[in-house]
Amino acid sequence: MQSSRRNIVGDSVALRNVLRQVDIVAPTDATVLLLGETGTGKELIARAIHDASGRSHQPFVRVNCAAIPSGLLESELFGHERGAFTGAIAQRIGRFELGDRGTLFLDEVGEIPIELQPKLLRVLQEHEFERLGGTRTTRVDVRVIAATNRDLPEMVVAGFFRDDLYYRLNVFPIRIPALRERPEDIDALVDHFVGEFSRDMNRHIDVIPSVARDALRHHSWPGNVRELENVIQQAVILSGDGRLTVPPLRVPSRPRAADTGAGTLEDVQRACIVRVLEETRWVIGGPRGAAARLGLKRTTLQSMLKRFGLPFPREAARSEASYAAG
Ligand SMILES: Nc1ncnc2c1ncn2[C@@H]1O[C@H](COP(=O)(O)OP(=O)(O)OP(=O)(O)O)[C@@H](O)[C@H]1O
Ligand SMILES: [Mg+2]
């Protein structure tokens, strides 16, 4: 099954290089670590690897480690026995067991709490674990693809990520370049999304004006392909006359000069971050989130929150608690 591979649009050298690595690694059972900024296509590539592997007729199970409260993640991954904890009224099969003979996509793997990391390392190395509250050892045959937009080596140094787990995940890293590193792909992606959304919305777009093309080509796309996809969706909605009408492209703004005169640079940065977080209701990601408002990458802002000891709003608002099996 090569279907997901056909959905990958773009012919840049950088993307072709990624696809070459997909072809090399897919038929093996090697663990793959997908690295890349938000919206670059990590999940799409993970599915392409699964679909091109010998496991393609087996389940592809996704877990978004950032969307599940850390206290529930162990049971989500490994399952639990009845009575394992208050509220565990029935036995539950975890994602590793559901993915048996297939592929488990561990999205946002950098969010796995440090205390759970040894158990993950063990299942990667020994292919076995115990359900929460259970004594029987379960063996599974699961191929793991992990993804992150965090700097894992930096997290290792900071003590948030175990080095042994990092090395075990980093067997075959694939870095997916940001869209601004492969602007040659923009035209083809625009055509692809215009086609898709105009079909979905029953709109006929005959003309993409060259000014619109230029604006799209020259934007820096901090949200990468996802941002482009959203812009084209809006554009198709706005286009009543068969000509693509691109909405104004927002360039992430730099924070205004310090609003307070006193304190160290760090105090000023902290105050500025808190103010913007309050304005965005603690939403970090997305085009209207604090990271975009501050002109920072989401991951950079997250590290700053840690450094300043500010609460770390989980991106639960993105409601990505969906993890599809099959
Ligand atoms: N090369 C591509 N061709 C077509 N569509 C793409 C491509 N890359 C990404 N997309 C689309 O862009 C959107 C974002 O991709 P995806 O969810 O795979 O990114 P991601 O790296 O997992 O992002 P995040 O880190 O935010 O989870 C999806 O709708 C995906 O289908
Ligand atoms: Mg993703």
Side-chain angles (χ1 to χ4, degrees), residues 19-312:
L19 295 178
R20 200 171 318 118
Q21 295 178 73
V22 166
D23 291 338
I24 292 168
V25 81
T28 75
D29 266 344
T31 304
V32 179
L33 180 61
L34 300 174
L35 304 164
E37 289 179 14
T38 181
T40 44
K42 296 185 292 296
E43 183 161 356
L44 198 62
I45 296 291
R47 283 188 184 272
I49 293 172
H50 171 76
D51 287 349
S53 76
R55 297 170 179 259
S56 60
H57 296 289
Q58 301 295 336
F60 176 87
V61 176
R62 171 178 178 243
V63 185
N64 184 344
C65 303
I68 297 167
S70 53
L72 299 181
L73 192 57
E74 180 172 3
S75 144
E76 193 65 44
L77 290 173
F78 301 105
H80 63 243
E81 299 295 350
R82 186 174 163 193
F85 48 85
T86 322
I89 49 169
Q91 184 199 57
R92 175 162 191 204
I93 302 295
R95 299 278 143 187
F96 267 96
E97 275 178 83
L98 289 174
D100 195 17
R101 302 174 60 212
T103 304
L104 181 68
F105 177 42
L106 282 180
D107 204 359
E108 313 231 23
V109 72
E111 308 303 321
I112 291 197
I114 190 100
E115 62 277 9
L116 193 53
Q117 293 177 14
K119 193 161 179 174
L120 177 60
L121 180 64
R122 178 167 162 233
V123 72
L124 288 171
Q125 278 176 344
E126 324 283 343
H127 313 284
E128 58 181 39
F129 59 90
E130 285 87 37
R131 291 187 195 137
L132 205 57
T135 49
R136 196 168 61 83
T137 299
T138 304
R139 281 193 69 80
V140 283
D141 166 20
V142 172
R143 197 254 183 101
V144 170
I145 302 178
T148 184
N149 53 20
R150 312 265 311 237
D151 183 339
L152 289 184
E154 192 181 81
M155 290 183 73
V156 168
V157 172
F160 294 120
F161 209 83
R162 290 178 63 108
D163 57 353
D164 45 11
L165 177 60
Y166 170 63
Y167 293 124
R168 184 61 191 73
L169 289 172
N170 200 37
V171 178
F172 196 94
I174 301 181
R175 195 183 84 86
I176 306 175
L179 190 54
R180 69 184 160 279
E181 296 171 54
R182 47 185 167 109
E184 317 89 279
D185 288 341
I186 292 175
D187 275 344
L189 284 163
V190 168
D191 294 339
H192 169 74
F193 291 129
V194 167
E196 205 167 67
F197 289 120
S198 53
R199 229 179 3 259
D200 288 355
M201 296 181 216
N202 226 345
R203 283 253 149 112
H204 294 279
I205 311 277
D206 313 309
V207 183
I208 302 182
S210 54
V211 279
R213 280 246 189 241
D214 281 348
L216 294 165
R217 280 186 199 128
H218 291 110
H219 185 57
S220 64
W221 301 112
N224 294 292
V225 183
R226 180 179 294 108
E227 184 189 2
L228 175 65
E229 184 176 8
N230 292 342
V231 164
I232 298 298
Q233 183 174 24
Q234 280 181 45
V236 170
I237 293 170
L238 292 172
S239 311
D241 59 353
R243 289 167 66 81
L244 191 73
T245 308
V246 175
L249 299 171
R250 262 176 36 85
V251 180
S253 54
R254 298 259 144 223
R256 268 173 277 141
D259 358 19
T260 82
T264 63
L265 179 60
E266 290 219 333
D267 293 338
V268 175
Q269 286 180 326
R270 190 179 194 281
C272 183
I273 289 174
V274 170
R275 180 174 50 74
V276 172
L277 280 169
E278 278 165 2
E279 283 169 16
T280 64
R281 297 178 181 201
W282 292 81
V283 173
I284 290 196
R288 287 196 209 101
R293 294 269 299 269
L294 289 161
L296 295 173
K297 286 205 301 189
R298 183 160 60 102
T299 46
T300 309
L301 179 56
Q302 283 169 337
S303 340
M304 292 178 89
L305 294 182
K306 276 215 178 95
R307 199 168 79 228
F308 293 147
L310 288 166
F312 194 87

